[in-house]
Amino acid sequence: MSQRPPLTTRRTAFFADTTALLLFFTTTGIINERVIAGMTWEQVLHARLLGAILMVPVARPYGIWRDWLMKRAGENRISQLLWDSMALVSFQVPLYAAIIAFSGASGSGLIQGTLGAALMMLLLGRPYGAFLNGVRKLFGLPPVSSDSDVWIKESNRKQPGVRGNKREETLSDKA
């Protein structure tokens, strides 16, 4: 794979992550909103349009968040499944609840829709992670985006005693 300038890689990662999020969650959102939350088709359309608008600015931050969490996952499938699911639930469920509330869901529909989304995201965490990796591959990117690595390294540098996935001993730890 050829080396791309950082700006080009960031732009490509943005488009890959945004494409994956839009395709995957427009489809699953329609199913949840219509079948589980019991929203009307008009409410579903409104939620999906609002969702699409909101997915554009959050797709790449989610990709970075997921990459950061997936650094902690082991090589086995259970670990990958758990970390992918945790990434998706912790980042997307609060956003999803706000979207369907703004789109007209209230009371028990809001609660059922949010719980349904949480359950779906627990189940879809790894499938979405694999889908995201596949879309990144189509865009010529590795499964964990290189600009995420830069962001992760910079954020770890700001935390004394932390390096990569492991905590380093500091002088205060030895005392």
Side-chain angles (χ1 to χ4, degrees), residues 44-64:
V44 170
L45 176 63
H46 188 256
R48 291 301 88 225
L49 290 173
L50 180 60
I53 292 167
L54 294 175
M55 282 187 236
V56 173
V58 302
R60 187 63 195 131
Y62 171 73
I64 292 168

Side-chain angles (χ1 to χ4, degrees), residues 39 41-51 99 102-104:
M39 294 169 69
W41 282 113
E42 185 177 339
Q43 289 173 323
V44 170
L45 176 63
H46 188 256
R48 291 301 88 225
L49 290 173
L50 180 60
I99 290 169
F102 188 77
S103 298

Side-chain angles (χ1 to χ4, degrees), residues 151-170:
W151 180 84
I152 291 165
K153 287 175 188 171
E154 287 174 3
S155 66
N156 283 343
R157 224 179 297 166
K158 294 174 187 172
Q159 300 173 8
V162 176
R163 182 177 175 187
N165 296 338
K166 298 179 182 167
R167 178 159 166 53
E168 290 181 336
E169 260 187 29
T170 61

Side-chain angles (χ1 to χ4, degrees), residues 2-21:
S2 65
Q3 283 288 73
R4 293 182 180 166
L7 183 60
T8 303
T9 301
R10 283 189 198 134
R11 189 176 309 124
T12 303
F14 169 82
F15 285 120
D17 288 5
T18 302
T19 299
L21 197 70

Side-chain angles (χ1 to χ4, degrees), residues 14-142:
F14 169 82
F15 285 120
D17 288 5
T18 302
T19 299
L21 197 70
L22 282 168
L23 292 174
F24 195 90
F25 285 107
T26 295
T27 305
T28 58
I30 289 169
I31 295 166
N32 183 56
E33 290 148 12
R34 187 70 181 138
V35 177
I36 297 172
M39 294 169 69
T40 67
W41 282 113
E42 185 177 339
Q43 289 173 323
V44 170
L45 176 63
H46 188 256
R48 291 301 88 225
L49 290 173
L50 180 60
I53 292 167
L54 294 175
M55 282 187 236
V56 173
V58 302
R60 187 63 195 131
Y62 171 73
I64 292 168
W65 171 249
R66 177 189 174 264
D67 291 348
W68 183 71
L69 285 179
M70 291 303 289
K71 296 273 188 193
R72 286 135 182 84
E75 294 295 319
N76 66 57
R77 288 182 182 182
I78 298 294
S79 181
Q80 299 276 320
L81 181 134
L82 291 174
W83 283 101
D84 246 340
S85 294
M86 186 182 350
L88 195 58
V89 169
S90 64
F91 193 95
Q92 298 291 359
V93 170
L95 295 173
Y96 184 78
I99 290 169
I100 65 170
F102 188 77
S103 298
S106 62
S108 65
L110 176 62
I111 292 168
Q112 289 172 339
T114 301
L115 291 175
L119 180 61
M120 280 179 60
M121 290 183 194
L122 274 172
L123 297 173
L124 294 174
R126 187 61 192 146
Y128 175 66
F131 182 76
L132 176 59
N133 289 343
V135 170
R136 285 177 172 176
K137 185 176 181 178
L138 289 173
F139 277 77
L141 296 169

